[in-house]
Amino acid sequence: MTLDQLRMLVKIRDTGSVLAAAEALYRTQPTVSVAIRKLEDELGVQLLDRDQYRACLTPAGETLCRKARSVIARSDELSALAEHLASGYEPELNIAIEASCPMPLILEVLKNVERIYPQTRFNLMAENIWGALSRLKEGEADLAISPWFVEDTSLESKTMLHETMIAVASPQFPPLKSGAPLVYQSMKEAVQVIVKDSSRLPKEKKIGVIEEGRHWLVNDHYTKKEILLAGMGWGRLQHHLIEKELAEGKLVPLTIRNYESTLDIEIRIARRLDRTAGPVAAELWNEFKVIC
C-alpha cells in the first residue's frame, strides 16, 4: 500500500469517477485503474464497484477512504515540517511571559507570526515578577516579556508597551472606612497582598513591598484581585487588570503618603545576546514593536 494509491482512492471518491480522478492527478486512466486493482489484491477486499456506469466506492472502499484522508493529511504535515526544518526554521520557541502582562495584545502578535510559520510550536510559560527574566537567563526561554528587568549587558531588550500600576483596595477596606489619611507607617498594620516571585535566581529587588508589614502571598494576580475585592487587603495591580473594577467603583485608587501609589512601567521583550536568533524568533522580535 502506498500513499499514491491512497491519494488515487480519495480522488475517485471526490471526483466521482476514475477518469476524473486521473485527470485531476495528471495520470492516465489505466494507471489509476491498475493501481487501485493492485491495492484491492493486496488488501483482499473490493474497493470499487465497477458494475455501475461510473465506478464508485464500495462500503469497504468508503471506510478505507475516510482513514486514507487522515493518513494523507498527516503525511502532508510531516512533509511540510521536514521542509520547515530543512530551511533552518526553529521547531519550537519558548517564551516566558510575566503573568500580569496584557495577553490579548501579546497573542495578537503571536497570531501574526504563527500564520507565517505554522510549523513552529510556541511554548508559553507564565511567570511571576522576576520569573520571566529568570527563565531567559537560565536558557529555558528564547524570549522573555516582562515589566521587570535590571540592567544586564548579556541581554538585549526593547519596549513593547507602557502601563501603569495602581495601589487599590475595596471601599470596604478598613483603613479606608476609618477616613484617616493613609501613610507608609500606618499601612504596615494593613494586609498587603503580594504575588509570589517565581524566579529561581538570587532574589532581585522586591517591587513595592512595604517591609516589616503584614503580607499575604498568592501565586497569581487573579487571586490577589479577588482578595482585594473582598476588602481583605490592598496592593498594586496593572491598570488593564482592574479597569472594569475601577470604573464600577468596586476598587478605588489609594494615595499613600511616602509610598509610590502609582507607578508607570514599561513592558519589555528581551533576548540573550550570546544566542543567535533563528528566523522565527527574529520575526517575532521585529513584530513586537511599541504597541501602545
Side-chain angles (χ1 to χ4, degrees):
M1 183 189 306
T2 66
L3 278 172
D4 207 26
Q5 288 172 314
L6 295 180
R7 291 184 192 278
M8 291 177 184
L9 184 69
V10 169
K11 192 59 70 174
I12 291 171
R13 174 66 177 80
D14 291 345
T15 61
S17 73
V18 175
L19 177 60
E23 291 175 348
L25 294 170
Y26 302 101
R27 304 291 184 87
T28 65
Q29 181 176 353
T31 298
V32 174
S33 296
V34 169
I36 296 301
R37 283 197 179 277
K38 286 184 177 180
L39 182 59
E40 289 175 321
D41 292 342
E42 179 184 347
L43 298 177
V45 64
Q46 185 178 351
L47 302 174
L48 289 184
D49 182 355
R50 298 174 178 83
D51 294 334
Q52 306 296 324
Y53 172 70
R54 288 187 175 186
C56 60
L57 270 60
T58 64
E62 291 282 359
T63 300
L64 183 63
C65 182
R66 287 193 293 271
K67 294 291 185 181
R69 290 187 192 278
S70 176
V71 172
I72 292 168
R74 293 302 301 274
S75 173
D76 290 344
E77 288 175 9
L78 287 173
S79 296
L81 177 59
E83 182 179 350
H84 181 79
L85 297 176
S87 300
Y89 299 125
E90 305 94 307
E92 63 179 17
L93 274 181
N94 297 315
I95 306 170
I97 304 173
E98 207 284 325
S100 66
C101 293
M103 283 303 297
L105 296 176
I106 294 171
L107 292 177
E108 190 61 34
V109 175
L110 289 175
K111 186 190 300 182
N112 294 336
V113 176
E114 194 273 340
R115 288 195 190 104
I116 303 172
Y117 303 104
Q119 300 299 330
T120 294
R121 182 178 69 191
F122 294 105
N123 301 321
L124 307 184
M125 299 173 284
E127 299 290 337
N128 292 329
I129 318 302
W130 299 103
L133 183 65
S134 169
R135 290 274 196 173
L136 182 64
K137 285 186 172 183
E138 292 175 331
E140 297 175 3
D142 301 294
L143 297 168
I145 298 173
S146 175
W148 311 122
F149 285 102
V150 292
E151 290 296 326
D152 192 324
T153 56
S154 68
L155 301 178
E156 176 185 13
S157 70
K158 64 179 181 179
T159 302
M160 280 174 43
L161 58 93
H162 301 274
E163 246 289 8
T164 302
M165 293 193 72
I166 306 171
V168 294
S170 163
Q172 303 306 313
F173 184 49
L176 277 180
K177 292 180 71 176
S178 71
L182 303 179
V183 297
Y184 185 92
Q185 193 65 27
S186 66
M187 291 301 284
K188 290 184 178 181
E189 303 303 318
V191 172
Q192 183 180 12
V193 185
I194 302 166
V195 174
K196 187 177 180 180
D197 185 5
S198 63
S199 170
R200 296 190 297 272
L201 294 175
K203 295 306 178 186
E204 300 284 358
K205 175 184 175 183
K206 293 182 179 179
I207 310 296
V209 175
I210 291 185
E211 300 294 344
E212 301 177 1
R214 296 177 60 199
H215 302 148
W216 280 20
L217 292 179
V218 296
N219 287 327
D220 61 87
H221 298 276
Y222 173 80
T223 303
K224 177 176 180 175
K225 183 168 73 171
E226 289 300 309
I227 294 173
L228 303 190
L229 286 168
M232 300 171 67
W234 71 278
R236 283 196 312 203
L237 285 169
Q238 288 189 34
H239 180 262
H240 75 93
L241 294 174
I242 53 175
E243 185 173 6
K244 180 173 180 288
E245 289 77 10
L246 287 172
E248 294 175 350
K250 294 179 179 179
L251 291 175
V252 295
L254 303 180
T255 300
I256 304 170
R257 194 180 305 161
N258 299 323
Y259 178 81
E260 205 166 12
S261 303
T262 301
L263 178 66
D264 292 327
I265 58 175
E266 290 183 349
I267 295 177
R268 305 179 69 83
I269 181 170
R271 61 185 178 184
R272 287 171 50 157
L273 289 172
D274 62 349
R275 289 188 172 184
T276 302
V280 183
E283 180 74 23
L284 197 56
W285 178 267
N286 292 332
E287 281 291 316
F288 274 116
K289 303 165 186 173
V290 177
I291 301 172
C292 61

